[in-house]
Amino acid sequence: MGTLGGTYMAIQWFPGHMAKARREVGEKIKFVDLVFELVDARLPLSSRNPMLDQIVQHKPRVVLLNKADLADESQTRKWQAYFESLGYETLACNAKETNTTKAVLAKAKRTLKEKRARDLERGIQARAIRAMVLGIPNVGKSTIMNRLVGKKIAQTGNKPGVTKGQQWLRVGNELELLDTPGILWPKFEDQEIGKKLALTGAIKDQLLHLDDIALYGLEFFTTYYPGRISQRYGLKIEDEQLPVPDLLMSVTKKMGLREDYERASERFLLEVRQGKLGRFTLDRADEQESESHDEAID
């Protein structure tokens, strides 16, 4: 992936309950038929936990690209093609939409169609599909659980890491879900992944220097979605060519916050997360394809 310039703080976050959750998932994976891997459609690669491959191993998997309504549609289509090339079923969704349950169930049935057909041939009658929902904090896992079950049964919040326990949830007569806490990996090999997660709210703001993340966000938008900063904050287009710290100063003044860069950074991050700067995708599928091609050549 391309790396935007600038010097930023190192980001790490691995609460103790996540280490426990990782162990529990490894112990309970044998009880499920398939895994729903939930990722943020705005950063489909960076919001994947690489440890899951070790835990899930060969279990059938459906990659749910949640918050697709906030992501760049063309990039989402490319990421779906990428995951499907790896052999996974995919679904771009918005956990808040009512049709999500039907679409998720259809993907589960499609994924297990051949296995269930083999079971029938052996005289094993079909039962409810047992699935596990896995994902890092704040990708919308509790929201999608509530949507699937049809009532507020999973604890939700606008802060990452609020779901601590494990519970089985029933979706009609056809699907049973094992909910698990969000799991973040203990070390980011690439600090840019940490910045992307922070920008979308997957890491608690209290652990961050918000102005550092705001600078990263400003640089990203001026690089990949030029004009949006100017349009949102009433700047001249050429102002986006300013050094990023100067651009933050200009945005702060346009917000009427004078030199309160901390408050301006907080407001900017909130507006990015709410989609007020438009739909965007931090992980660029074309850059991933280029890296894969380069690795193949090497």
Side-chain angles (χ1 to χ4, degrees):
M1 298 253 169
T3 301
L4 298 174
T7 302
Y8 306 94
M9 62 176 288
I11 300 170
Q12 299 296 340
W13 185 41
F14 194 56
H17 76 269
M18 290 186 181
K20 179 182 177 183
R22 182 178 64 181
R23 290 193 301 271
E24 290 177 349
V25 169
E27 293 167 1
K28 296 186 178 184
I29 192 74
K30 61 186 176 184
F31 298 119
V32 302
D33 303 308
L34 85 160
V35 170
F36 290 115
E37 181 184 359
L38 198 62
V39 300
D40 189 324
R42 295 168 296 179
L43 55 165
L45 207 60
S46 296
S47 60
R48 296 188 81 201
N49 186 329
M51 291 192 308
L52 289 190
D53 288 338
Q54 303 168 15
I55 299 170
V56 173
Q57 296 183 2
H58 301 299
K59 284 284 181 182
R61 195 183 319 190
V62 178
V63 179
L64 303 178
L65 293 92
N66 191 32
K67 305 186 182 182
D69 56 312
L70 298 175
D72 184 324
E73 291 175 279
S74 63
Q75 287 289 315
T76 298
R77 286 193 295 270
K78 291 178 180 178
W79 279 115
Q80 284 188 268
Y82 168 77
F83 288 125
E84 287 165 8
S85 74
L86 299 179
Y88 306 136
E89 288 285 341
T90 69
L91 177 67
C93 61
N94 173 6
K96 297 179 181 179
E97 292 181 351
T98 56
N99 63 353
T100 298
T101 299
K102 185 177 180 180
V104 169
L105 181 57
K107 284 292 180 182
K109 289 180 176 179
R110 179 172 173 173
T111 303
L112 294 176
K113 184 178 180 180
E114 292 182 7
K115 179 184 181 299
R116 301 186 99 185
R118 289 195 302 270
D119 286 346
L120 279 175
E121 289 177 1
R122 295 163 55 195
I124 301 173
Q125 293 301 311
R127 55 162 172 74
I129 296 171
R130 291 172 184 161
M132 183 180 284
V133 179
L134 296 175
I136 69 168
N138 214 33
V139 291
K141 191 154 58 62
S142 294
T143 304
I144 205 164
M145 298 295 293
N146 292 335
R147 170 59 62 195
L148 293 172
V149 177
K151 55 185 175 180
K152 192 171 183 180
I153 193 166
Q155 182 185 11
T156 62
N158 57 5
K159 296 180 181 178
V162 298
T163 309
K164 297 290 198 299
Q166 286 187 326
Q167 55 186 328
W168 283 96
L169 306 172
R170 194 166 184 84
V171 181
N173 296 318
E174 299 184 281
L175 183 64
E176 293 178 355
L177 299 175
L178 177 62
D179 185 22
T180 57
I183 306 173
L184 210 68
W185 53 103
K187 181 181 180 182
F188 301 125
E189 297 298 332
D190 181 351
Q191 275 297 310
E192 189 168 2
I193 291 177
K195 289 174 256 175
K196 290 177 179 179
L197 292 168
L199 184 59
T200 57
I203 299 175
K204 292 179 180 178
D205 283 346
Q206 298 93 314
L207 301 175
L208 306 170
H209 294 160
L210 296 185
D211 52 346
D212 282 348
I213 306 306
L215 290 172
Y216 176 78
L218 287 167
E219 188 166 5
F220 169 79
F221 273 96
T222 55
T223 301
Y224 291 100
Y225 299 98
R228 290 198 189 174
I229 301 295
S230 295
Q231 184 177 8
R232 176 67 187 169
Y233 301 109
L235 301 171
K236 296 177 182 177
I237 295 294
E238 54 266 25
D239 287 347
E240 293 199 44
Q241 305 303 316
L242 291 170
V244 179
D246 293 342
L247 182 57
L248 178 58
M249 291 171 61
S250 297
V251 169
T252 301
K253 290 176 182 176
K254 285 292 185 178
M255 288 179 174
L257 296 176
R258 299 190 179 182
E259 296 182 359
D260 193 343
Y261 305 120
E262 191 70 17
R263 276 186 64 200
S265 297
E266 186 176 352
R267 184 185 296 182
F268 171 72
L269 294 179
L270 180 63
E271 294 190 352
V272 167
R273 294 165 186 171
Q274 291 176 337
K276 292 184 178 179
L277 278 83
R279 299 168 70 144
F280 67 94
T281 298
L282 292 164
D283 288 341
R284 312 302 292 180
D286 44 356
E287 293 176 8
Q288 170 64 21
E289 291 169 1
S290 176
E291 285 188 5
S292 298
H293 177 69
D294 291 344
E295 289 172 3
I297 292 176
D298 292 342

